[in-house]
Amino acid sequence: MPDRSPMTLFGLTTRAMSAQMVRMNAATSNLANAGSVSSTEEGAYRPIRAVFAVELDRASGIAGVATGGLVRADTAPTRRHDPSHPLADRDGYVFEAPVDETAEMVEIMESARQYQNLVQALQTAKQLMLETLRSQ
Amino acid sequence: MNERLFGIHGAALTLRSQRMGVIASNIANAATPGYKARDIDFNAALDARLARARGQAGAGPEAGMVWRRPTMPSLDGNTVELAREQVAFAENAVAYSATLSFVQGKVNSITRALKGE
């Protein structure tokens, strides 16, 4: 980004909170698709994960965080024999999305904790900045 | 001028503010794979800054920057430990407040002297 002013604490927290939001949304999408089935192995839902990357601002020495994108896990879908299922293939198999609900819940909880931490840090920093401004 | 007026506290306030940014960076990157947490060694950084203010050829602006040594290494190479960062942030915030009140006191006495009260 060519015309960017030096990163402040506010910019840093905003970026980090957006990154945590992307991560939480990804985990929620996975949870929502848990148990969804498909008639082909390729068509089954694969869990997505947000990948974070450091974004160093040399002017201020602050290291922000950016979402480097979403990756799909390459775990194989679970093959289940269920001939009565309307989506079953010729051999009577359906392919279930390989979503680990517990892992996704933990992911959401961890993300929420880190989000809270950011808000707390921002509040403290803002308080100190206001104190500095108001001093005469 | 700045140093004569505020003594050590002007430089200390700037450093405290810088350290707040560094620790906030650590908190922000708590989930970034491969991120190495950093901190400012306050004593070393303050010495370097004061030496530079006195015109001595001190170390560069990176003086006092240290890498945080993790208690336990993690699989993704990230060395942020959230609890430690929280404690460091709180400690730094309190020290910032203290330094700020020193600066405020100085400003108050100078103002009073100027007004001739």
Side-chain angles (χ1 to χ4, degrees), chain A:
Chain A
M1 279 169 255
D3 53 355
R4 209 182 61 200
S5 50
M7 203 189 283
T8 61
L9 271 182
F10 292 97
L12 164 76
T13 321
T14 316
R15 278 153 201 269
M17 289 204 301
S18 324
Q20 293 292 351
M21 202 187 68
V22 172
R23 182 181 174 200
M24 224 184 284
N25 279 340
T28 320
S29 312
N30 294 345
L31 268 188
N33 282 291
S36 67
V37 290
S38 164
S39 47
T40 57
E41 192 168 350
E42 295 78 42
Y45 178 83
R46 310 285 172 105
I48 48 175
R49 282 262 174 276
V51 177
F52 290 175
V54 188
E55 186 186 22
L56 182 66
D57 183 47
R58 292 201 180 279
S60 56
I62 288 177
V65 57
T67 26
L70 294 166
V71 289
R72 281 198 183 276
D74 55 352
T75 34
T78 332
R79 200 169 67 141
R80 188 155 52 88
H81 188 67
D82 189 358
S84 60
H85 200 286
L87 284 176
D89 64 1
R90 268 201 315 278
D91 308 321
Y93 285 108
V94 288
F95 294 91
E96 206 167 305
V99 177
D100 184 354
E101 282 102 333
T102 323
E104 301 301 336
M105 277 313 292
V106 171
E107 178 91 4
I108 292 175
M109 274 158 65
E110 197 195 358
S111 185
R113 291 286 307 174
Q114 285 174 3
Y115 193 95
Q116 268 178 3
N117 221 325
L118 280 167
V119 175
Q120 203 73 254
L122 182 67
Q123 265 173 5
T124 313
K126 191 190 74 183
Q127 184 91 33
L128 288 175
M129 282 179 198
L130 285 177
E131 266 174 44
T132 317
L133 275 178
R134 287 202 189 113
S135 60
Q136 0 157 338

Side-chain angles (χ1 to χ4, degrees), chain B residues 19-102:
Chain B
R19 183 157 182 243
M20 193 152 68
V22 172
I23 299 176
S25 305
N26 292 347
I27 293 178
N29 281 292
T32 311
Y35 177 80
K36 304 290 178 219
R38 296 206 300 175
D39 199 358
I40 293 181
D41 179 353
F42 190 76
N43 269 333
L46 190 63
D47 283 347
R49 190 171 274 265
L50 290 179
R52 243 181 300 144
R54 273 189 235 104
Q56 294 167 8
E62 283 283 294
M65 292 298 279
V66 287
W67 301 103
R68 187 129 16 255
R69 208 162 288 162
T71 322
M72 276 188 85
S74 68
L75 208 57
D76 64 352
N78 186 308
T79 60
V80 179
E81 279 159 10
L82 221 41
R84 272 173 80 182
E85 302 302 332
Q86 276 176 324
V87 172
F89 195 88
E91 182 251 320
N92 191 56
V94 171
Y96 184 99
S97 278
T99 307
L100 184 62
S101 61
F102 282 129

